[in-house]
Amino acid sequence: RTLDRVLDEGVQKQRDDQRAWLDAFWERADVEIPGHDAIQQAVRWNLFSIMQASARAEGQGIPAKGVTGSGYGGHYFWDTEVYVMPFLTYTTPHFARNALRFRHSLLDAARTRAEQLAQKGALFPWRTINGEEASAYYAAGTAQYHIDADISYALSQYVGASGDVDFLNHEAVDIFVETARLWADLGFWRTEEGGTFHIHGVTGPDEYTTVVNDNLYTNVLARFNLRRAAEAVRTLQHADPDAYALMVTRVGLQDGEVDEWQRCAAGMSIPFDEHLGIHPQDMHFLEREMWDLDHTPLSKRPLLLHYHPLVIYRFQVLKQADVVLALFLQGEDFTAEEKRRNFEYYDPITTGDSTLSAVVQSIIAAEVGYQDLAYRYFLASLFVDLADRHSNTSDGVHVASTGGVWSALASGFGGFRDLGAGQWTLDPRLPEDWESLTFRLTLRGTRVRVTVRTEELVLAVESGTGTLAFDVRGDEVVVGPDAPVTVPLKN
C-alpha cells in the first residue's frame, strides 16, 4: 500500500486489519498447553517469531535471522526447508508456497553453480542471498550437497499436504528433475560390491565431520530425492501429457533419465555396522577416536570457537544431529530397534553447539522412549532465545529453532508423521505432567484440531469440508466436519 492510501484509510483501519490478520493466524497455528503458563507463553513467542519472519517473505525467502538482527548477513540456509517449512506447510500453506517459489526463482543460479563444480543438474548454494554461494569455507559449507535433497523434501511435503498439483506440475517438478540429475551425476557405482551407488566427498548436517564418503544423512535423503523425482515425472506423464511435454522442453529431459534415477535410489549405499547395530554417520566415522566430552569444560564450548577444525575433524564428536535427523525425516526407512540404537550411540557425542540440534533430539528421544530426555531437549530449544542460551541472541532470533519448537510439539509429543501421498500418522507421547496438548494441522484445505490427553486423542475439523484419515497406532481413524472423533490411547 502507498502511504497516501494508508493515510486515507486511517490508523484505526490499519489496526483493525492487523488485529483480524493476527486472529486468523492464531486460529490456525496456535498450540495450547493448559496449566503451564510459562511454557505456553514461550511457545507462543516462538510461533509469533516464525510468523514475523515468514509473513511478508513473498519472493524473498526466509533468512536465518528473519529481520531481527544482523547475524548471517541476511543469508538463507537449509534451515528454512527442514526446520521452518513444516510449520508453514501444516498451518499456513500459502506462506510455504511463497518460500518454495523463492527457491524456484534461484534454479538457474543453482544450475550455474552445479556447472561450476563440474556437475550436471542443479546445486543450490548452502548459504546465499541471491542464488550464489556465499559460504567462505567449502568444507563446512559448499560441501553440504544435502541442501538439494532438503529442498526437494520440503517441496514434496508441501505438495502432499496441500494437494497443490499446479505448483508441482509447473514449478516443483523442475527442481525434482534437476536435483535428481545432480545426485545421479555426483555418485558412482561399485560393481565389486554387487552394484552399490556411492556418494563421496560431501558434508552432512554435522559440521564437525566434513568432506566424507557415504554420509548416512546425505545418502538417505538423496535416495528420497531420486525416488520422488522419478515418481513426479511418471505421474505427470500419465496424468497431464500436455504439462509433461512442457516440462520435458523446459528441462530437456532425456530418455532413460528417470530409469537411471530409480536404479541409483535402489542401489544407494546405506552404511550399517552389524556389530554395533547402528548406521555409521559416514563410511569411516567409527574409525575415529572418541572425543571425551565428559572432561571437556564448558569454558571450551562450543568446540569450534576453541579448537582448530582439523583437531575436531579427527574425532567422533557432533555439532548437531545428523543420523538422528535422518531417523526423523525418513523414519519409515528404519526399524524401531535401529532408531533406538542409533539414538543411544549418537546422543552422548552430540554437543548441541548448534541450535538446530535439540529439537530433533527431542523428537527422536520421545519416539524411542526417553521421555524425560525429550522434555529436557524441548525446554532447551524453547528458551534458546528467551534465555539467550547460546549468548548470541543479540545477533538475531534463531528462526530455524523457533520453527523446530513447533515440530517438537507436533511431531515429538504429538507424534505426527507425514509419510507422503496423503498418509498421515499420529502416535502421541505426552510429557508426564501435561494434562493435554492441542495443535492444528491443515491438510488438503481442511484444518483439524488435534488434542492429546494421557488416555485419549480427540480429532475435530475446525475449518473446511474435507474428510481426513489418520493412522493412530495401527488403526485408521477418519474425521470429518461436525463429526469429531475420540480415540482411546493404549499404554
Side-chain angles (χ1 to χ4, degrees):
R1 294 175 175 178
T2 64
L3 179 59
D4 288 342
R5 182 178 177 185
V6 171
L7 292 175
D8 288 343
E9 291 179 341
V11 173
Q12 187 61 45
K13 175 65 163 56
Q14 308 309 312
R15 185 186 184 283
D16 292 344
D17 286 352
Q18 181 69 5
R19 178 73 267 171
W21 191 94
L22 284 167
D23 287 345
F25 168 78
W26 290 114
E27 283 179 9
R28 64 180 181 267
D30 195 17
V31 177
E32 302 164 45
I33 308 167
H36 297 272
D37 292 346
I39 292 174
Q40 178 70 82
Q41 185 179 30
V43 165
R44 286 177 173 153
W45 182 88
N46 277 267
L47 301 184
F48 183 76
S49 296
I50 317 173
M51 181 273 290
Q52 278 193 315
S54 58
R56 296 309 304 269
E58 302 103 327
Q60 299 299 319
I62 304 171
K65 298 294 185 182
V67 292
T68 64
S70 59
Y72 296 124
H75 288 112
Y76 314 103
F77 297 79
W78 68 292
D79 307 18
T80 297
E81 279 72 29
V82 172
Y83 294 89
V84 178
M85 288 298 298
F87 171 76
L88 301 181
T89 291
Y90 299 117
T91 64
T92 313
H94 64 279
F95 286 4
R97 192 176 197 268
N98 287 339
L100 292 169
R101 293 196 72 183
F102 164 72
R103 283 297 192 186
H104 181 266
S105 74
L106 303 180
L107 183 56
D108 281 340
R111 291 181 175 116
T112 299
R113 185 61 179 161
E115 186 177 351
Q116 290 171 345
L117 271 68
Q119 304 292 164
K120 297 177 182 177
L123 177 59
F124 286 90
W126 178 73
R127 175 174 181 166
T128 191
I129 200 167
N130 64 355
E132 297 180 3
E133 178 64 77
S135 173
Y137 181 48
Y138 78 92
T142 298
Q144 294 199 44
Y145 284 65
H146 65 82
I147 189 170
D148 267 19
D150 302 327
I151 292 170
S152 295
Y153 179 85
L155 285 168
S156 181
Q157 194 174 58
Y158 163 75
V159 169
S162 67
D164 191 348
V165 176
D166 182 72
F167 178 71
L168 170 63
N169 292 349
H170 297 95
E171 294 176 83
V173 69
D174 292 15
I175 294 180
F176 284 146
V177 168
E178 296 290 17
T179 52
R181 280 174 170 161
L182 182 283
W183 296 120
D185 185 53
L186 180 64
F188 69 99
W189 291 93
R190 276 188 173 161
T191 56
E192 67 271 18
E193 296 181 2
T196 52
F197 189 73
H198 297 261
I199 298 173
H200 283 189
V202 300
T203 299
D206 170 35
E207 295 166 28
Y208 284 175
T209 316
T210 65
V211 192
V212 299
N213 296 340
D214 287 329
N215 168 252
L216 187 282
Y217 177 89
T218 301
N219 285 19
V220 168
L221 269 292
R223 179 173 63 182
F224 162 82
N225 194 162
L226 290 159
R227 288 171 174 169
R228 188 64 181 89
E231 177 191 1
V233 171
R234 297 285 195 213
T235 300
L236 181 60
Q237 183 177 17
H238 291 95
D240 193 338
D242 291 338
Y244 172 78
L246 291 172
M247 180 274 296
V248 169
T249 300
R250 285 197 308 270
V251 302
L253 187 69
Q254 301 294 312
D255 292 341
E257 281 195 274
V258 176
D259 290 338
E260 180 187 12
W261 304 338
Q262 292 176 317
R263 288 194 302 273
C264 293
M268 186 68 70
S269 174
I270 305 297
F272 185 75
D273 185 272
E274 295 286 351
H275 176 67
L276 294 175
I278 68 165
H279 293 83
Q281 185 169 293
D282 60 74
M283 185 182 294
H284 299 292
F285 185 80
L286 300 181
E287 299 170 12
R288 299 182 179 94
E289 182 181 354
M290 193 75 74
W291 188 291
D292 188 359
L293 278 178
D294 289 339
H295 293 91
T296 302
L298 291 178
S299 62
K300 293 292 187 179
R301 306 276 287 273
L303 301 184
L304 79 166
L305 298 183
H306 299 279
Y307 299 92
H308 193 283
L310 290 177
V311 174
I312 298 174
Y313 296 165
R314 297 186 185 111
F315 289 84
Q316 291 188 52
V317 63
L318 279 62
K319 182 184 179 187
Q320 64 203 71
D322 195 302
V323 170
V324 171
L325 180 57
L327 303 180
F328 172 46
L329 300 186
Q330 293 292 282
E332 59 271 30
D333 288 341
F334 300 89
T335 67
E337 180 63 18
E338 287 172 345
K339 290 179 183 179
R340 185 178 181 89
R341 283 179 174 271
N342 279 311
F343 180 81
E344 290 174 343
Y345 187 88
Y346 289 104
D347 193 67
I349 60 174
T350 303
T351 64
D353 288 348
S354 168
T355 59
L356 300 180
S357 194
V359 289
V360 178
Q361 290 168 280
S362 176
I363 292 168
I364 298 302
E367 181 174 353
V368 302
Y370 288 100
Q371 297 302 320
D372 290 344
L373 186 57
Y375 196 43
R376 290 204 299 272
Y377 277 133
F378 166 71
L379 293 177
S381 303
L382 185 64
F383 291 100
V384 158
D385 289 306
L386 289 171
D388 196 13
R389 294 178 61 91
H390 286 244
S391 302
N392 59 3
T393 302
S394 59
D395 295 331
V397 169
H398 296 81
V399 173
S401 180
T402 66
V405 165
W406 184 87
S407 291
L409 290 163
S411 297
F413 303 137
F416 172 67
R417 296 290 187 276
D418 186 340
L419 304 182
Q423 299 179 76
W424 302 297
T425 69
L426 289 163
D427 185 8
R429 309 165 189 93
L430 201 65
E432 189 172 310
D433 64 342
W434 287 12
E435 64 180 72
S436 68
L437 165 68
T438 297
F439 59 96
R440 280 88 179 161
L441 298 169
T442 296
L443 302 167
R444 306 291 173 91
T446 294
R447 186 174 75 237
V448 61
R449 183 178 66 247
V450 181
T451 299
V452 180
R453 300 188 182 95
T454 303
E455 298 179 351
E456 66 179 16
L457 171 71
V458 181
L459 303 175
V461 171
E462 290 187 332
S463 176
T465 59
T467 297
L468 297 173
F470 294 88
D471 180 297
V472 180
R473 297 184 177 176
D475 295 326
E476 183 180 64
V477 176
V478 178
V479 59
D482 303 318
V485 179
T486 299
V487 184
L489 295 177
K490 308 167 189 175
N491 293 325

